[in-house]
């Protein structure tokens, strides 16, 4: 039976008419080719993946679907089970392994990369690899995983890469094709089915363009300073909040996703709005009530019941919140109600925009700045459109709306994303060579020359090689053009005798006079606090008046002035370009030091006994199966720590190794294992790293030990809140990450039956109640 059928002369799949880009991509899949699809969020890329999976399934060929986050992997696993049956679908996410030899396998990209590095036999039967959200290759923290998955992929496996719109998709395809020696077809679709309209909202102005809002702010500041006689301070102007924006949207623009880059604010805003507004009709409220009662009755876990009752207080008013700190069952309920149009306003963090296909009419941004773990920064345009692209429902809306909140106290042009989808950032390699990769390169390749050849296969090296030649060619052209312009310019090019320079100086003089006049006009400007500034301005005005009064301006025709202006413009442009090109050239030389990095890390591994002249030692082979803090975990194992600690203390220790903390996390401290012994091992690794690499990579968070210890020892979930301030979903995440690392250690120590059995017991002590994942 054919998967596609023709109807009214157009191809259809699963009852949907295919858009041209979908039909083209599927045509290449039918030819067993690798394909990259670059298209905006929400236009139907997933349908291409579904077709590829069903085609492989019917042909009895194995297919692997990879996702960037576990939540998306879990969702896809459920979706595929409904389509192909429970026995035909498996999932591997580190902490979960179900039906691992199924013809349709879902996993995180990290797991797939790990299988490639260890040459898992399962890969031999894979026909297609689907890399969803392949633009993650540009992610600073995780992008290297996508690159390694492509670099080490066997030649018999074809790739289907799905990405949001990326300008340099052809470059990405060129790199993949060059290292795999195959043709990679590129499908680009830049047209949104439902176009987006971008605005800002301020409560006094209403829905306006950013330009109008900025002009209004400038006018308001001038009026405020004139009336108050004081300089502008933030907080002086009226404040606009999410409540004002939702009130403005209520009649015409719901449902909406309201993106807030703070989990705490997501919840606070939802409860705050619920006290002001009820967005559901009576029959809808009854439906939500019944659904919640059903879900509460179905779960036997008290933590789940309590969390559902808590979120239910806002859900019954058509309001919800969604973030990574929530329990999985609560996120599922929220997503279900949104899909049934029973949530009108959903406050969410950006994780909601990764893979979850739930379009709405409107998207709102509380701010265009986000905290990236180190500092607040402006969203990239790629990030902006990943979220904004959820606006506009195909077949329902003729256009989608995107609103950014404009609080006049903080509104600045440089703090607002320019919504230019045709000017997105290029993908840039984030290739990084970890210890695990070094160990597996040594294990899988016969010679140093072969390893160094592999290291030159990364996307960064490909980009640098192409850019270097382009930069050199452009530099030669720019320097030639600058030389020609220098030969044409007149003798007074930079002097005040030049009519253009003379006019500029007069303009500066007038601005200085205006500034002095503004100071003298107000009480605060005449105060002693501004005396020095007034004196400096007066002196500067006098000097410039004297200078300009003495100068004889060079007589030039209008044509000569126009020509000179054009020369200046071109010269400044080319000179700036030359500076940038040299800056790029310097950066490019630093971005291809992977061979040097490999040699340094190999030297360290040899120093620590992971590698010798014959290849990997037992330590090295063990580390090859550990993907988190490989050096520390291996040294702890060979020091006998896992043999000597009991199961609860092992769980506490492993939680400290795998934990990735957030800025304001708090834990009650208690000593539950021998910290001095662990710190001694860490200090030894740090010393050797610093000697050879001039850096330290060890991360160990002892504060999380008591939390994991108490859960492992059988404590009730509700009581864990007494030892930390983590949200429920974050506590679960700590335990799931710990289970993931425990599985890695067990796999590495498989021949050590005593430890293997002990670690199985450790996992069972953690994998219970609300922590257990049921798919």
């Amino acid at each position: 039976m054919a998967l596609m059928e023709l109807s009214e002369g157009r191809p259809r799949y699963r009852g949907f008419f295919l858009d041209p880009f979908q039909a083209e991509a599927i045509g290449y899949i039918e030819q067993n080719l690798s394909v990259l699809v670059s298209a905006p969020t929400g236009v139907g890329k997933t349908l291409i993946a579904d077709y590829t999976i069903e085609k492989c399934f019917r042909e009895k060929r194995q297919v692997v679907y990879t996702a960037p986050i576990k939540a998306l992997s879990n969702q896809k696993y459920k979706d595929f089970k409904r389509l192909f049956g429970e026995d035909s679908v498996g999932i591997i996410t580190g902490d979960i392994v179900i039906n691992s030899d199924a013809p349709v396998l879902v996993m995180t990209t990290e797991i797939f990369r790990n299988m490639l590095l260890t040459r898992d036999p399962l890969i031999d039967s894979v026909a297609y690899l689907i890399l969803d959200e392949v633009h993650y290759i540009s992610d600073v923290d995780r992008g290297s995983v996508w690159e390694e998955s492509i670099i080490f992929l066997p030649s018999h496996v074809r790739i289907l890469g799905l990405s949001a719109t990326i300008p340099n998709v052809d470059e990405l395809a060129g790199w993949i094709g060059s290292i795999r020696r195959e043709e990679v077809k590129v499908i680009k679709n830049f047209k949104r089915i439902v176009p987006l309209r971008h605005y800002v909202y301020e409560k006094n102005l209403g829905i306006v363009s950013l330009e109008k809002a900025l002009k209004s702010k400038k006018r308001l500041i001038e009026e405020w300073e004139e009336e108050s006689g004081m300089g502008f301070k933030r907080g002086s102007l009226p404040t606009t909040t999410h409540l004002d924006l939702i009130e403005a949207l209520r009649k015409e623009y719901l449902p909406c996703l309201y993106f807030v880059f703070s989990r705490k604010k997501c919840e606070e805003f939802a409860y705050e709005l619920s006290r002001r507004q009820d967005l559901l009709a009576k029959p809808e409220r009854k439906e939500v009530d019944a659904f919640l009662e059903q879900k509460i009755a179905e779960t036997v876990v008290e933590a789940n019941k309590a969390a559902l009752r808590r979120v239910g207080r806002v859900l019954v008013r058509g309001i919800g919140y969604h973030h990574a700190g929530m329990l999985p069952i609560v996120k599922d309920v929220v997503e279900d109600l949104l899909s049934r149009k029973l949530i009108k306003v959903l406050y969410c963090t950006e994780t909601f925009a990764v893979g979850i296909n739930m379009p709405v009419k409107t998207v709102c941004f509380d701010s265009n700045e986000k905290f990236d773990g180190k500092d607040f920064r402006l969203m990239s345009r790629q990030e902006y459109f990943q979220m904004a692209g959820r606006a506009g429902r195909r077949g329902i809306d003729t256009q989608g709306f995107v609103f950014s909140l404009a609080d006049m106290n903080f509104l600045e042009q440089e703090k607002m994303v320019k919504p230019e989808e045709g000017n997105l950032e290029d993908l840039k390699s984030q290739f990084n060579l970890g210890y695990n990769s070094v160990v597996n390169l040594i294990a899988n390749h016969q010679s140093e020359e072969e390893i160094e050849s592999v290291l030159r296969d990364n996307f960064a090296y490909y980009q640098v090689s192409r850019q270097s030649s382009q930069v050199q060619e452009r530099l030669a052209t720019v320097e030639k053009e600058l030389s020609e312009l220098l030969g044409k310019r007149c003798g007074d090019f930079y002097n005040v005798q030049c009519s253009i320079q003379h006019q500029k100086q007069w303009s500066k003089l007038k601005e200085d006079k205006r500034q002095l006049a503004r100071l003298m006009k107000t009480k605060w400007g005449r105060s002693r606090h501004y005396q020095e500034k007034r004196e400096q301005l007066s002196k500067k005005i006098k000097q410039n008046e004297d200078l300009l009064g003495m100068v004889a301006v060079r007589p030039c025709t209008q044509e000569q002035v126009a020509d000179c202006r054009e020369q200046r413009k071109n010269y400044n442009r080319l000179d700036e370009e030359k500076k940038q090109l040299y800056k790029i050239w310097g950066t490019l030389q630093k971005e291809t030091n992977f061979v040097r990095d490999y040699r340094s890390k190999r030297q360290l591994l040899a120093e620590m006994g992971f590698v010798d002249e014959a290849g990997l030692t037992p330590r090295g082979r063990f580390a090859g199966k550990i993907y988190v803090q490989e050096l520390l975990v291996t040294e702890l194992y060979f020091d006998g720590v896992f043999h000597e600690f009991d199961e609860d203390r092992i769980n506490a220790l492993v939680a400290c190794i795998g934990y990735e903390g957030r800025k304001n996390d708090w834990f009650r401290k208690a000593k539950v294992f021998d910290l001095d012994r662990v710190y001694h091992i860490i200090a030894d690794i740090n010393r050797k790293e610093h000697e050879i690499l001039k850096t330290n990579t060890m991360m160990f968070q002892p504060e999380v030990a008591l939390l994991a210890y108490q859960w492992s020892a059988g404590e009730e979930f509700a009581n864990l809140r007494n030892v930390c301030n983590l949200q429920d979903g974050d506590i679960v995440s700590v335990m799931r990450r710990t289970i993931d690392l425990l599985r890695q250690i067990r796999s590495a120590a498989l021949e050590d039956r005593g430890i293997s059995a002990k670690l199985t017991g450790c996992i069972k002590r953690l994998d219970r109640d609300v922590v257990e994942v049921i798919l």
Side-chain angles (χ1 to χ4, degrees), residues 16 109 163 416 479 507 571 574 672 764:
F16 294 101
T109 316
S163 171
M416 300 294 285
E479 288 178 335
S507 297
Y571 186 89
L574 290 167
V672 299
K764 286 179 179 178

mmCIF file of all heavy atoms in Angstrom, residues 16 109 163 416 479 507 571 574 672 764:
data_model
loop_
_atom_site.group_PDB
_atom_site.id
_atom_site.type_symbol
_atom_site.label_atom_id
_atom_site.label_comp_id
_atom_site.label_asym_id
_atom_site.label_seq_id
_atom_site.Cartn_x
_atom_site.Cartn_y
_atom_site.Cartn_z
ATOM 1 N N PHE A 16 -3.571 14.733 4.736
ATOM 2 C CA PHE A 16 -3.134 16.120 4.567
ATOM 3 C C PHE A 16 -2.575 16.317 3.159
ATOM 4 O O PHE A 16 -1.777 15.506 2.681
ATOM 5 C CB PHE A 16 -2.037 16.479 5.577
ATOM 6 C CG PHE A 16 -2.487 16.484 7.006
ATOM 7 C CD1 PHE A 16 -2.203 15.404 7.837
ATOM 8 C CD2 PHE A 16 -3.186 17.560 7.523
ATOM 9 C CE1 PHE A 16 -2.604 15.399 9.163
ATOM 10 C CE2 PHE A 16 -3.599 17.576 8.848
ATOM 11 C CZ PHE A 16 -3.312 16.490 9.668
ATOM 12 N N THR A 109 19.760 13.019 21.456
ATOM 13 C CA THR A 109 20.915 13.057 20.563
ATOM 14 C C THR A 109 22.179 12.623 21.296
ATOM 15 O O THR A 109 23.063 11.978 20.711
ATOM 16 C CB THR A 109 21.091 14.468 19.974
ATOM 17 O OG1 THR A 109 19.815 14.972 19.569
ATOM 18 C CG2 THR A 109 22.009 14.459 18.765
ATOM 19 N N SER A 163 15.202 21.472 10.696
ATOM 20 C CA SER A 163 15.701 22.669 11.366
ATOM 21 C C SER A 163 14.753 23.838 11.170
ATOM 22 O O SER A 163 14.040 23.918 10.170
ATOM 23 C CB SER A 163 17.078 23.041 10.807
ATOM 24 O OG SER A 163 17.483 24.300 11.279
ATOM 25 N N MET A 416 15.718 45.349 22.228
ATOM 26 C CA MET A 416 14.581 44.751 21.533
ATOM 27 C C MET A 416 15.093 44.037 20.276
ATOM 28 O O MET A 416 15.911 44.569 19.535
ATOM 29 C CB MET A 416 13.561 45.819 21.135
ATOM 30 C CG MET A 416 12.988 46.589 22.315
ATOM 31 S SD MET A 416 11.989 45.593 23.430
ATOM 32 C CE MET A 416 10.489 45.425 22.465
ATOM 33 N N GLU A 479 41.824 46.422 0.426
ATOM 34 C CA GLU A 479 43.049 47.224 0.499
ATOM 35 C C GLU A 479 43.350 47.925 -0.834
ATOM 36 O O GLU A 479 43.834 49.058 -0.858
ATOM 37 C CB GLU A 479 44.211 46.337 0.930
ATOM 38 C CG GLU A 479 44.118 45.948 2.406
ATOM 39 C CD GLU A 479 45.231 45.036 2.862
ATOM 40 O OE1 GLU A 479 45.798 44.317 2.008
ATOM 41 O OE2 GLU A 479 45.518 45.026 4.070
ATOM 42 N N SER A 507 27.772 72.101 13.532
ATOM 43 C CA SER A 507 26.666 71.299 14.091
ATOM 44 C C SER A 507 26.968 70.878 15.529
ATOM 45 O O SER A 507 26.097 70.933 16.402
ATOM 46 C CB SER A 507 26.426 70.054 13.232
ATOM 47 O OG SER A 507 26.019 70.408 11.948
ATOM 48 N N TYR A 571 35.227 55.401 1.983
ATOM 49 C CA TYR A 571 36.489 55.153 2.708
ATOM 50 C C TYR A 571 36.208 54.626 4.117
ATOM 51 O O TYR A 571 36.815 53.638 4.569
ATOM 52 C CB TYR A 571 37.316 56.436 2.787
ATOM 53 C CG TYR A 571 38.681 56.205 3.397
ATOM 54 C CD1 TYR A 571 39.765 55.858 2.602
ATOM 55 C CD2 TYR A 571 38.868 56.304 4.772
ATOM 56 C CE1 TYR A 571 41.015 55.605 3.154
ATOM 57 C CE2 TYR A 571 40.114 56.057 5.336
ATOM 58 C CZ TYR A 571 41.186 55.708 4.531
ATOM 59 O OH TYR A 571 42.411 55.456 5.080
ATOM 60 N N LEU A 574 34.924 51.014 3.959
ATOM 61 C CA LEU A 574 35.986 50.058 3.642
ATOM 62 C C LEU A 574 37.001 49.923 4.776
ATOM 63 O O LEU A 574 37.482 48.814 5.064
ATOM 64 C CB LEU A 574 36.710 50.489 2.355
ATOM 65 C CG LEU A 574 35.897 50.341 1.059
ATOM 66 C CD1 LEU A 574 36.583 51.079 -0.078
ATOM 67 C CD2 LEU A 574 35.709 48.874 0.706
ATOM 68 N N VAL A 672 27.064 13.206 54.570
ATOM 69 C CA VAL A 672 26.492 11.858 54.490
ATOM 70 C C VAL A 672 27.500 10.832 53.977
ATOM 71 O O VAL A 672 27.204 9.638 53.956
ATOM 72 C CB VAL A 672 25.215 11.834 53.615
ATOM 73 C CG1 VAL A 672 24.145 12.733 54.193
ATOM 74 C CG2 VAL A 672 25.528 12.241 52.181
ATOM 75 N N LYS A 764 17.105 1.172 41.833
ATOM 76 C CA LYS A 764 15.770 0.820 42.334
ATOM 77 C C LYS A 764 15.367 1.707 43.506
ATOM 78 O O LYS A 764 14.201 2.054 43.666
ATOM 79 C CB LYS A 764 15.742 -0.649 42.760
ATOM 80 C CG LYS A 764 15.730 -1.624 41.590
ATOM 81 C CD LYS A 764 15.719 -3.073 42.078
ATOM 82 C CE LYS A 764 15.684 -4.039 40.887
ATOM 83 N NZ LYS A 764 15.730 -5.453 41.333
#
